[in-house]
Amino acid sequence: MATETTSSCTGSNLLQPISEIINLPLDQVNFVVCQLFALLTALWFRLYLHPSKASPFIRHVVATLLGFYLALFCFGWYALHFLVQSGLTYSIMVFAGLEHMHKLCFIVALGYLSFCQITRVYVFDYGMYSADFTGRHGGKMPSLLEYLSYNCNFMGILAGPTCSYNDYTAFIEGTAYQPRHLEANGTENGKHKHTEPSPKNNVISKLCTCAISLAVFLSVSKIFPVERSIDDKFMASTPFILQVLYLYLSMLATRPKYYFIWTLSDAINNAAGFGFNGYNKDGTPRWDLISNLRILDIEFATSFKMFLDNWNIQTALWLKRVCYERCPINPTAATFLLSAMWHGVYPGYYLTFLTGIGMTMAARTLRHNIKPYFLGSTTHKSVYDVITWAGTQVAICYTVVPFVLLAVGPSLKFYRSWYYCIHIACLLLVLALPVKPWHLRAKEEQPQENSLQGGLTGDHNSHSITDNNCNQKHKAT
């Protein structure tokens, strides 16, 4: 690769001929090539800069420099935003008191993130530039090099996934496999044996998933474009039940794009040795510490919550920790609003997340009142699962249409064609059926959530200092 860049935010034009041959935007080609380069680099990083062969300082420096190089190649001068925002938030961490540090970091980081999103959408081409700004979230107070390495390392600078600072530091320092994982790795002569697990099988499996996802997306997404759902001729000539089926198929064809991006990013981290999460009961290593999705749980989700819990997992955990668990008034609405701001400034994002608030409340109400009647037998439970699966898929498709269409006009046109029926149904369910207040649910769920949260983040308490630090990174969407 070369560092030659154009004057636009699409970065290098070295791959322009390939972009023209395969008829894909240059920024998407740059992204995929850089991720493949990062995958090969990750293998080299694990073998030749292993913690047993290189100091944490060297590993931090190399990971950071490679990350900046990939950002420059993909985004040109826009890569400077990584340095600017990292500098702003790190300065706050250094000079602000502990009492206000997390608040100031949150405001500055989210404000700068919004500024970048606004300029990308309204100064550059609206809806055209397919790389997006999102955020990364941190833990305890690091040194400047550690902070830059955490935010800008080559494994996650383009597409994440986000992770806790403690987990990243353990990976760099080579302590990720001990001591908390030793007890699960078998014994020998009454003593624990310590062997570093290989990520090879998991990386190969995830790369196969990437290949299948990419093939499905490239071949099927053009057959079922979401935009056809708002085509006047289609709406006039197609029975409503077939419109519903088409909407499901079009959204089903859209999701493999995200499966490809997030699974490839996960594979890159695993190839570098990052992401080990203990052992399964059969003794095989788990490499899902920072996995961002569970495909089967998404496609067969039987509730709105189950779908969201398995989609963009690491960001959802951050939103839960930084907003849902801390907001004193209507945490559900506040979390969806923050998520919309984090994603960007397209109006469709806000329509999706506002609709999601109603969907979540209605689904919670319905589950609370109806599910007990289906738990009497296996047959009843199976019927309930089939019905809720179908309802969940329709509800998800209906909710995320604006997220795909982006603009207000097309989004409202779609909802009008459905007579806002699901919006109205959600409102009636919430008003008509009783539901347990959120603070009582939170109180009941807190012990379980704390246990899960601690396991996922390593050191739960350390996040209270700088949970809200965000450093812009890009993801291809």
Side-chain angles (χ1 to χ4, degrees), residues 267-280:
I268 292 169
N269 281 272
N270 292 169
F274 187 27
F276 178 64
N277 197 26
Y279 293 86
N280 296 306

Side-chain angles (χ1 to χ4, degrees), residues 192 354 387:
H192 289 292
L354 288 174
I387 294 174

Side-chain angles (χ1 to χ4, degrees), residues 78-309:
Y78 247 47
L80 292 175
H81 289 298
F82 290 98
L83 293 176
V84 173
Q85 190 181 30
S86 295
L88 290 173
T89 52
Y90 191 78
S91 297
I92 292 173
M93 293 168 62
V94 171
F95 297 108
L98 290 177
E99 182 179 357
H100 302 293
M101 178 194 301
H102 62 292
K103 298 176 183 177
L104 292 174
C105 280
F106 179 85
I107 293 172
V108 171
L110 193 61
Y112 193 86
L113 184 66
S114 298
F115 166 76
C116 292
Q117 291 164 340
I118 290 170
T119 57
R120 180 181 66 87
V121 171
Y122 297 109
V123 176
F124 297 103
D125 294 327
Y126 183 96
M128 295 298 295
Y129 183 52
S130 59
D132 197 7
F133 283 91
T134 54
R136 180 177 280 263
H137 334 292
K140 63 186 180 182
M141 181 65 183
S143 68
L144 179 58
L145 174 61
E146 292 168 340
Y147 187 70
L148 291 175
S149 175
Y150 169 68
N151 283 309
C152 304
N153 66 81
F154 72 95
M155 301 171 296
I157 193 168
L158 299 183
T162 190
C163 61
S164 80
Y165 176 74
N166 287 342
D167 289 333
Y168 181 74
T169 301
F171 154 70
I172 289 292
E173 295 177 352
T175 60
Y177 308 111
Q178 56 179 331
R180 61 189 180 104
H181 300 306
L182 280 176
E183 59 183 8
N185 195 18
T187 60
E188 189 175 74
N189 298 326
K191 297 182 180 180
H192 289 292
K193 60 178 182 179
H194 173 50
T195 57
E196 184 175 315
S198 171
K200 181 180 70 173
N201 292 337
N202 282 271
V203 171
I204 293 175
S205 175
K206 290 173 182 177
L207 290 179
C208 290
T209 299
C210 289
I212 295 172
S213 299
L214 184 60
V216 170
F217 174 72
L218 293 177
S219 60
V220 179
S221 61
K222 295 180 180 179
I223 301 175
F224 298 102
V226 178
E227 291 77 11
R228 187 177 296 163
S229 296
I230 58 172
D231 179 74
D232 292 331
K233 184 178 180 180
F234 174 82
M235 292 188 293
S237 61
T238 308
F240 182 72
I241 187 64
L242 293 183
Q243 292 186 42
V244 175
L245 178 60
Y246 180 85
L247 179 65
Y248 169 70
L249 292 175
S250 65
M251 289 301 174
L252 187 65
T254 299
R255 287 197 286 271
K257 173 176 62 174
Y258 299 96
Y259 297 163
F260 168 76
I261 293 170
W262 285 334
T263 305
L264 178 57
S265 181
D266 198 14
I268 292 169
N269 281 272
N270 292 169
F274 187 27
F276 178 64
N277 197 26
Y279 293 86
N280 296 306
K281 292 182 179 180
D282 61 0
T284 57
R286 291 173 54 194
W287 288 87
D288 61 354
L289 179 66
I290 56 174
S291 294
N292 225 12
L293 77 166
R294 303 182 189 97
I295 296 176
L296 293 180
D297 289 336
I298 289 171
E299 297 300 341
F300 294 99
T302 56
S303 70
F304 204 80
K305 181 180 184 300
M306 182 178 177
F307 188 99
L308 296 180
D309 285 347

Side-chain angles (χ1 to χ4, degrees), residues 29-97:
V29 174
N30 282 349
F31 170 83
V32 173
V33 170
C34 281
Q35 286 293 77
L36 294 177
F37 174 78
L39 178 64
L40 296 176
T41 304
L43 296 172
W44 169 83
F45 191 84
R46 179 172 179 268
L47 292 176
Y48 295 98
L49 290 184
H50 189 273
S52 63
K53 301 177 181 179
S55 68
F57 176 81
I58 295 297
R59 284 165 61 84
H60 276 305
V61 170
V62 173
T64 305
L65 292 179
L66 286 172
F68 280 137
Y69 176 77
L70 293 181
L72 182 64
F73 189 91
C74 266
F75 310 114
W77 65 265
Y78 247 47
L80 292 175
H81 289 298
F82 290 98
L83 293 176
V84 173
Q85 190 181 30
S86 295
L88 290 173
T89 52
Y90 191 78
S91 297
I92 292 173
M93 293 168 62
V94 171
F95 297 108

Side-chain angles (χ1 to χ4, degrees), residues 325 441-451 460:
E325 294 179 347
R441 292 195 311 273
K443 186 176 181 180
E444 291 178 358
E445 297 172 358
Q446 195 64 39
Q448 179 181 356
E449 291 176 351
N450 282 344
S451 176
H460 178 74

Side-chain angles (χ1 to χ4, degrees), residues 247 304 308 332-333 335-337 339-340 347-364 392 394-403 408 411-412 414-416 418 420-427 430:
L247 179 65
F304 204 80
L308 296 180
T332 298
T335 303
F336 272 101
L337 179 60
S339 183
Y349 293 167
Y350 289 84
L351 286 176
T352 285
F353 288 107
L354 288 174
T355 301
I357 295 173
M359 288 289 185
T360 301
M361 296 174 65
R364 186 183 293 154
T392 297
V394 173
I396 288 293
C397 293
Y398 180 90
T399 301
V400 302
V401 165
F403 194 96
V408 173
S411 300
L412 294 182
F414 168 78
Y415 283 147
R416 282 197 303 269
W418 282 53
Y420 297 92
C421 61
I422 299 185
H423 284 91
I424 296 173
C426 289
L427 179 62
V430 172

